[in-house]
Amino acid sequence: MPSSAVHRTVQSDKAPSLRPYQSEAVARVVAHFRASSEPAVVVLPTGSGKSLVIAELARLARGRVLVLAHVRELVEQNHAKYEAYGLQADIFSAGLKRKEAGRQVVFGSVQSVVRSPERFADGNFTLLVIDECHRVSLDENAGYRRVIDHLRGQNPKLKILGLTATPYRLGQGFIYHRHHHGMVRGEADCFFRDCVFEQPLRLMVKQGYLARPERRDMAVEHYDFAGLATTESGAFSEAAMNRVVAGNRATPGIVADVIARAQNRAGVMIFAATVEHAEEVLRYLPEGEAALITGATPAQERAAIIAAFKAREIKYLVNVAVLTTGFDAPHVDVIAILRPTESASLYHQIIGRGLRLSPGKDDCLILDYAGNPWDTYAPEVGEPRPASDSEPVQVICPECEHANLFWGKYDGELLLEHYGRRCHGLVEDAEGRAVQCSFRFRFKVCDECGAENDIAARRCHGCERLLVDADDKLRDALKLKDARVLRVSGMQLAATANGRGLPRLKVTYHDEDGATLDEWFALETAAQRRAFQAVFLRRHLRAPGVGWQPATPDEVVAGRNRLRHPDFVVGRLSGRYFKIREKLFDYAGRYRKAAEAQ
């Protein structure tokens, strides 16, 4: 915030005091907006007091402030924390039956504000705060973006701050581009540019600000969602989930297990897969001690159920995807997950319902009956998990030495594979600006200038020419009489010798019909080993950039589990033999790839 946007430093005597990390978050936001008008993000775990940070920033801001949320519970919570300072603010929310927008600070629901832009047209709004900002879509026609465009039309220098516990969206990854620790997280076209502050969940628990999550993977009684496929949006459909849970013989045993484990617990939240599933779960819970909330529950009935649960008049609260945000019941000490979660974001939102502190509460028991793969504390990678056995792995960039976090696999202590494409480190360019490190772990080379590009790029970032499409390369090669195209189903390595008895590495690619193409490498001299690194290892390593430098053919053969084969190989006739001219990795075109060799 520029200095002209800061005022009112005198607090009411009854104003709540900020925790150290909340004060630091506020200071980081103020410093960022003094220097820039680029949208920023603050990441704080569920239960860490985002409302107090919002209240303090609204108290400090000059000009008018609009605080948006997507559910009325959050609007109400944020408004209450601000008024705890002894200050007054308006509420603009149809769900709360209030549509006031005259005071300096307004707390509103995005649905109500987007329908009444004329009420926010005075041009004096200098700060827009968005709670649960991971809901801000890249779609410029979505509600949040329409409100943003309207306010920016009134004030082009509008400061926009987002707060969230889960800074990623399904199908997009991270919602911001740069992190204050000096790394790139999301794409360059992210709406939010910088994460200016983040407080890790593990640190919050260690410092005693949140209850300790005790996760249990329930292997005896559980649902098998392993074969469940997501829709194009990346979510699980209700019909698909219902096929697994409806009338499932495991349900009575699962509910009985929840009851037994919650015997000495205060409050239990159960997250069901579908409405039909939730209704079945409710039937197995103790009568008079449980209630169900779905998206169709009338507002008055929903409010009464929530009030009864918070008053501990009922112990079990079953819900279907409606209490993952904006719900605050600190006494909850059991979370039972009976549904698959499409993303780490949803999973962390669910368990966050049980991490707030409460008298007599030491921990929160997380019971997972759906085999969800997400780790309670593990940092989010930002990309979809490529395989069920993938885990977050650290990969050091060989150029800038940034410690990247990618999906990958370990074999004991050995980093066997990772799926990273480009280093996420931030480095200074010649003008002193922070830019992303240029090192690429996986890439495709421009035929014109030799520049390395992202494997999904269509135009070369070096010479701006259109990159030759992989399908075009295959189609052109198939037309040539002196070319051989292999749909590679396997690759063999052999330590052998040439005609003069010198050691050589022989690499043989074969297709499903047994046709083969070979290439040979010498590793006797330092120059030969450098060439081997450049032309072979750089593309074939399952974990590129890890610094493996075999010095002999035998060492390469011994480490063959580190290597991957290309999807297609193109050879051209040179004399009596075929010479490999092209290898296609990470192929995603219209030609069929070979089945993996067994």
Side-chain angles (χ1 to χ4, degrees):
M1 244 170 281
S3 56
S4 62
V6 180
H7 79 146
R8 294 187 300 173
T9 57
V10 179
Q11 286 183 259
S12 162
D13 291 338
K14 61 181 179 180
S17 59
L18 298 183
R19 295 169 176 173
Y21 67 85
Q22 293 169 329
S23 295
E24 185 177 356
V26 170
R28 294 274 190 88
V29 171
V30 171
H32 173 80
F33 284 142
R34 277 178 174 157
S36 172
S37 291
E38 291 191 326
V41 171
V42 166
V43 179
L44 292 171
T46 300
S48 60
K50 293 194 297 293
S51 295
L52 282 178
V53 173
I54 292 171
E56 177 68 0
L57 287 167
R59 188 185 71 84
L60 293 174
R62 289 191 182 277
R64 302 194 67 197
V65 180
L66 175 60
V67 181
L68 289 181
H70 70 290
V71 292
R72 65 183 184 182
E73 289 87 354
L74 283 175
V75 174
E76 203 165 27
Q77 287 175 25
N78 292 335
H79 178 264
K81 287 294 191 298
Y82 180 76
E83 293 210 325
Y85 277 96
L87 303 170
Q88 290 186 316
D90 282 344
I91 288 180
F92 199 91
S93 168
L96 295 173
K97 296 181 171 56
R98 292 176 63 178
K99 285 196 173 182
E100 311 142 358
R103 287 191 170 95
Q104 179 178 0
V105 179
V106 182
F107 292 83
S109 70
V110 63
Q111 298 90 340
S112 296
V113 173
V114 78
R115 294 191 192 103
S116 304
E118 71 283 354
R119 300 288 297 276
F120 302 85
D122 60 13
N124 294 324
F125 283 95
T126 60
L127 175 64
L128 171 64
V129 180
I130 302 174
D131 199 0
E132 304 291 352
C133 67
H134 57 276
R135 303 184 69 88
V136 177
S137 171
L138 290 175
D139 180 3
E140 295 184 0
N141 292 318
Y144 279 113
R145 298 297 296 272
R146 286 159 59 193
V147 173
I148 290 167
D149 288 346
H150 175 71
L151 294 181
R152 274 181 167 170
Q154 307 291 321
N155 176 14
K157 295 183 179 181
L158 177 74
K159 314 298 184 184
I160 303 171
L161 175 70
L163 295 99
T164 181
T166 52
Y168 20 80
R169 282 177 63 87
L170 195 64
Q172 176 186 338
F174 279 96
I175 63 172
Y176 61 84
H177 182 49
R178 298 175 298 228
H179 192 279
H180 67 93
H181 282 161
M183 69 186 86
V184 170
R185 303 308 294 266
E187 299 298 326
D189 62 351
C190 287
F191 174 77
F192 293 100
R193 302 303 299 162
D194 293 278
C195 172
V196 297
F197 181 81
E198 179 171 14
Q199 181 80 345
L201 173 60
R202 190 183 297 276
L203 183 60
M204 289 285 293
V205 173
K206 183 179 180 180
Q207 294 177 341
Y209 291 124
L210 290 177
R212 184 178 71 258
E214 288 289 340
R215 172 172 168 155
R216 301 283 186 272
D217 285 310
M218 314 311 293
V220 178
E221 292 279 7
H222 69 281
Y223 299 108
D224 184 7
F225 292 104
L228 206 63
T230 58
T231 63
E232 288 185 5
S233 67
F236 295 118
S237 71
E238 182 166 335
M241 289 192 289
N242 228 21
R243 285 193 291 270
V244 176
V245 298
N248 193 300
R249 290 180 296 176
T251 300
I254 286 173
V255 177
D257 190 61
V258 172
I259 294 171
R261 293 177 183 274
Q263 187 173 358
N264 298 316
R265 297 277 173 162
V268 182
M269 290 186 70
I270 300 175
F271 290 83
T274 67
V275 173
E276 184 179 341
H277 180 220
E279 291 171 344
E280 182 184 5
V281 168
L282 185 65
R283 290 198 296 270
Y284 295 121
L285 289 167
E287 189 174 352
E289 296 183 39
L292 166 64
I293 292 179
T294 72
T297 305
Q300 191 171 355
E301 180 183 349
R302 169 175 166 155
I305 291 173
I306 290 176
F309 181 68
K310 290 183 175 181
R312 307 195 190 190
E313 295 169 4
I314 56 176
K315 181 174 181 177
Y316 303 90
L317 183 57
V318 186
N319 85 100
V320 184
V322 291
L323 298 180
T324 55
T325 58
F327 179 79
D328 183 359
H331 77 287
V332 170
D333 52 4
V334 177
I335 298 288
I337 306 174
L338 279 62
R339 57 153 297 166
T341 54
E342 299 93 330
S343 66
S345 176
L346 177 57
Y347 174 77
H348 289 146
Q349 291 284 1
I350 287 174
I351 67 171
R353 301 308 106 200
L355 300 187
R356 286 181 170 85
L357 299 177
S358 182
K361 176 179 172 181
D362 296 321
D363 60 27
C364 179
L365 193 59
I366 312 295
L367 306 176
D368 193 333
Y369 296 91
N372 288 294
W374 314 111
D375 188 285
T376 307
Y377 292 111
E380 170 66 8
V381 176
E383 299 289 338
R385 186 186 291 258
S388 59
D389 59 346
S390 299
E391 58 183 309
V393 300
Q394 191 177 81
V395 183
I396 307 298
C397 174
E399 285 194 4
C400 74
E401 299 185 345
H402 174 72
N404 291 277
L405 191 69
F406 298 135
W407 289 117
K409 299 176 186 177
Y410 286 106
D411 182 4
E413 296 296 317
L414 172 67
L415 176 56
L416 187 64
E417 184 171 26
H418 74 75
Y419 298 93
R421 294 186 183 183
R422 183 177 176 181
C423 175
H424 291 162
L426 285 173
V427 297
E428 281 193 3
D429 65 8
E431 299 177 3
R433 297 172 302 184
V435 297
Q436 186 173 0
C437 174
S438 61
F439 183 81
R440 297 183 186 275
F441 295 93
R442 287 189 168 85
F443 54 88
K444 59 183 177 182
V445 177
C446 174
D447 295 333
E448 293 291 332
C449 70
E452 295 176 359
N453 294 273
D454 185 79
I455 60 175
R458 299 189 63 83
R459 187 177 293 275
C460 176
H461 73 89
C463 65
E464 295 295 324
R465 290 178 179 268
L466 283 173
L467 296 169
V468 179
D469 185 74
D471 283 342
D472 292 340
K473 290 183 177 181
L474 290 176
R475 185 180 63 249
D476 292 344
L478 289 168
K479 293 177 180 177
L480 299 173
K481 294 182 179 180
D482 64 344
R484 176 178 292 175
V485 179
L486 292 190
R487 179 183 286 115
V488 181
S489 61
M491 177 179 75
Q492 279 76 46
L493 305 176
T496 182
N498 66 6
R500 293 181 292 166
L502 297 174
R504 292 291 184 267
L505 175 68
K506 181 183 180 182
V507 183
T508 302
Y509 307 97
H510 62 83
D511 67 8
E512 297 159 314
D513 300 320
T516 63
L517 285 171
D518 301 325
E519 59 183 344
W520 300 74
F521 296 97
L523 288 84
E524 298 163 67
T525 68
Q528 289 171 337
R529 291 190 289 273
R530 285 195 298 270
F532 177 66
Q533 286 275 345
V535 303
F536 183 86
L537 281 186
R538 184 90 193 276
R539 302 292 301 278
H540 283 267
L541 275 175
R542 293 170 62 189
V546 298
W548 183 47
Q549 297 181 336
T552 67
D554 286 319
E555 288 183 27
V556 179
V557 173
R560 57 183 170 271
N561 63 330
R562 294 172 173 258
L563 303 172
R564 61 175 183 155
H565 64 71
D567 297 311
F568 291 90
V569 172
V570 178
R572 294 288 299 273
L573 197 60
S574 178
R576 293 187 300 154
Y577 302 100
F578 282 95
K579 185 175 182 179
I580 292 176
R581 296 290 182 87
E582 188 81 53
K583 298 177 188 176
L584 300 181
F585 292 85
D586 306 301
Y587 175 79
R590 62 185 179 88
Y591 288 94
R592 180 181 65 84
K593 292 194 292 186
E596 291 292 328
Q598 300 298 315

